[in-house]
Amino acid sequence: TEKIRVRIKKNGDTVYGSQIEVSYTKAVEVVPTIVYYKDAYWQLKLKVVNKSNSIRLSGKVILSEPSGFEIPTSQSEFEDIAPGTSKYIYINISPKYTNEKMTVSGYVETTGNEKIEFSDTSYFVGLMHLSKEPTIDGKISSGEYNMNAPVRLNTKDYVINRLADYPGFDETSGNIYLNYDEKNLYLAAKIYDSVEGATGDNTMVWQNDSIQLAFAEVADLNAARTEYCIGKDNKGVPTITRYAFMGTKTVAGGGEGDAVAMGDDIKLEIGRDGKYTIYEFKVPWTEVFGEERPTLDKRTLLFSALINDNDGLGRTGYVEFCPGIGGQKNPAQFSKLQAMK
């Protein structure tokens, strides 16, 4: 946007003069999204919009980040996008990149030498569809869950460890797998934890070895969210605590919560496999959103999670996947979570 001076002359004399504000609109718009493809593969999806009224659009995609990420010509070049229309360009992301958080950035260069920059960041985490309900028994059986896009809490690029003296993933680490069907959310997790510990009662399970997970639909500090904590209480009983619920538009959350009764609809089992703790959790979508969600396919939710560690003398620390739970309760800091069929 800039200001220009306009003069109107008549018979060589200026009869009107003024400054007006002029906005220039680019003829091209680029919208990037990193999306799950299939079988642990991901893609960069670029929506290229031709906003011109008369010019057909051709060009190519050039990546600047990550270094060494090359695009085949068949995926990088496009041509003949008609005025007022758009085209999707799909660029495959090698699995060697998808085990860590990554930013993909670059620009689209048109044959008219216009350059439009883009950037998107992904943790490569997905909410994966199940066709068969798993057995909630504290064991993860082969083929029971779709494990292609886990929440990884075992690398420095993923872990946000907010307690400076806590050794982090050398003490506690693991993967959380998020699956779903039309009625339920399923969580399975295998967490390395050499010493089990629980000192908090059934309203303070976050003080014990446990997992906290939260969902929201709006990336805003004051947005409603649903937050659960699952773990054993100080009597060794598997316990579910809910600190906030979108069904009642709860936006704040403290240390205490409401213990949730378990039954056929809501289940939790916690087992041990050597030095690993195994979590299996089933909860209806009505207990996450406060209403039915008949289909989640290709929806994008907002999500965060953390694992707490207690070695028997109280909570010693936690390892967090993206901010939003452990420090300030803030859905604006949650990560995007794609629901994939």
Side-chain angles (χ1 to χ4, degrees):
T1 302
E2 65 175 322
K3 290 184 177 181
I4 62 173
R5 177 167 290 279
V6 176
R7 292 185 177 91
I8 299 175
K9 292 186 176 182
K10 185 176 181 180
N11 299 326
D13 297 325
T14 299
V15 296
Y16 175 81
S18 179
Q19 279 193 334
I20 62 172
E21 194 172 81
V22 178
S23 296
Y24 298 94
T25 302
K26 289 186 175 181
V28 186
E29 180 183 10
V30 179
V31 181
T33 312
I34 296 174
V35 298
Y36 183 79
Y37 177 43
K38 65 178 180 179
D39 299 332
Y41 282 82
W42 294 73
Q43 293 179 323
L44 171 65
K45 181 175 75 171
L46 295 175
K47 182 180 181 181
V48 180
V49 184
N50 186 352
K51 303 176 76 172
S52 166
N53 293 323
S54 58
I55 301 173
R56 303 186 78 86
L57 182 65
S58 299
K60 59 184 177 179
V61 180
I62 298 173
L63 290 185
S64 55
E65 187 181 4
S67 176
F69 187 172
E70 298 182 357
I71 315 173
T73 301
S74 60
Q75 295 181 6
S76 65
E77 295 184 352
F78 61 92
E79 59 183 19
D80 206 30
I81 302 177
T85 67
S86 60
K87 180 179 182 179
Y88 286 99
I89 300 171
Y90 294 89
I91 298 171
N92 296 330
I93 300 174
S94 169
K96 72 178 182 180
Y97 293 104
T98 60
N99 287 324
E100 313 228 351
K101 174 185 174 183
M102 185 180 77
T103 297
V104 179
S105 59
Y107 59 91
V108 168
E109 183 176 29
T110 71
T111 51
N113 295 321
E114 189 171 10
K115 293 183 179 180
I116 304 90
E117 294 182 346
F118 63 82
S119 181
D120 194 29
T121 299
S122 178
Y123 287 87
F124 300 105
V125 170
L127 177 63
M128 314 305 291
H129 186 267
L130 289 182
S131 57
K132 181 181 178 181
E133 181 172 332
T135 301
I136 308 300
D137 57 3
K139 302 175 184 178
I140 299 176
S141 302
S142 177
E144 194 173 23
Y145 295 95
N146 185 323
M147 297 180 166
N148 284 334
V151 177
R152 299 175 181 87
L153 292 159
N154 53 15
T155 74
K156 291 181 180 179
D157 289 317
Y158 275 73
V159 169
I160 298 172
N161 178 12
R162 296 186 178 277
L163 302 185
D165 297 330
Y166 183 61
F169 57 84
D170 291 331
E171 175 74 17
T172 307
S173 62
N175 286 344
I176 298 173
Y177 307 98
L178 298 170
N179 286 201
Y180 78 100
D181 59 25
E182 283 63 33
K183 293 184 178 180
N184 302 300
L185 163 71
Y186 304 99
L187 176 147
K190 185 176 182 179
I191 306 300
Y192 173 80
D193 186 0
S194 58
V195 180
E196 290 186 280
T199 54
D201 64 18
N202 64 358
T203 66
M204 305 290 280
V205 180
W206 63 270
Q207 294 182 353
N208 308 333
D209 290 338
S210 57
I211 296 175
Q212 288 173 244
L213 63 153
F215 293 88
E217 293 190 284
V218 180
D220 184 88
L221 170 63
N222 295 315
R225 77 182 196 286
T226 294
E227 181 178 339
Y228 282 98
C229 183
I230 56 175
K232 292 182 179 179
D233 67 12
N234 54 1
K235 296 179 181 179
V237 178
T239 302
I240 305 167
T241 306
R242 188 163 65 187
Y243 301 128
F245 182 41
M246 280 188 272
T248 55
K249 304 303 178 186
T250 307
V251 297
E256 298 185 4
D258 297 323
V260 177
M262 286 186 279
D264 290 339
D265 290 340
I266 301 179
K267 294 182 179 180
L268 170 67
E269 291 292 343
I270 301 174
R272 283 288 279 184
D273 181 6
K275 292 186 177 181
Y276 290 86
T277 300
I278 308 300
Y279 296 82
E280 285 191 297
F281 177 45
K282 168 192 171 184
V283 60
W285 284 116
T286 52
E287 299 299 331
V288 176
F289 291 110
E291 56 183 294
E292 295 284 355
R293 281 294 189 277
T295 177
L296 285 163
D297 299 348
K298 298 185 179 180
R299 279 178 58 90
T300 298
L301 310 177
L302 298 170
F303 170 79
S304 185
L306 63 80
I307 48 178
N308 293 304
D309 185 42
N310 181 320
D311 290 341
L313 298 175
R315 187 176 74 152
T316 56
Y318 61 87
V319 175
E320 186 173 20
F321 167 79
C322 87
I325 298 180
Q328 184 184 35
K329 304 294 186 181
N330 185 0
Q333 296 180 311
F334 288 6
S335 172
K336 292 182 293 185
L337 176 67
Q338 298 173 37
M340 304 304 297
K341 188 89 175 188

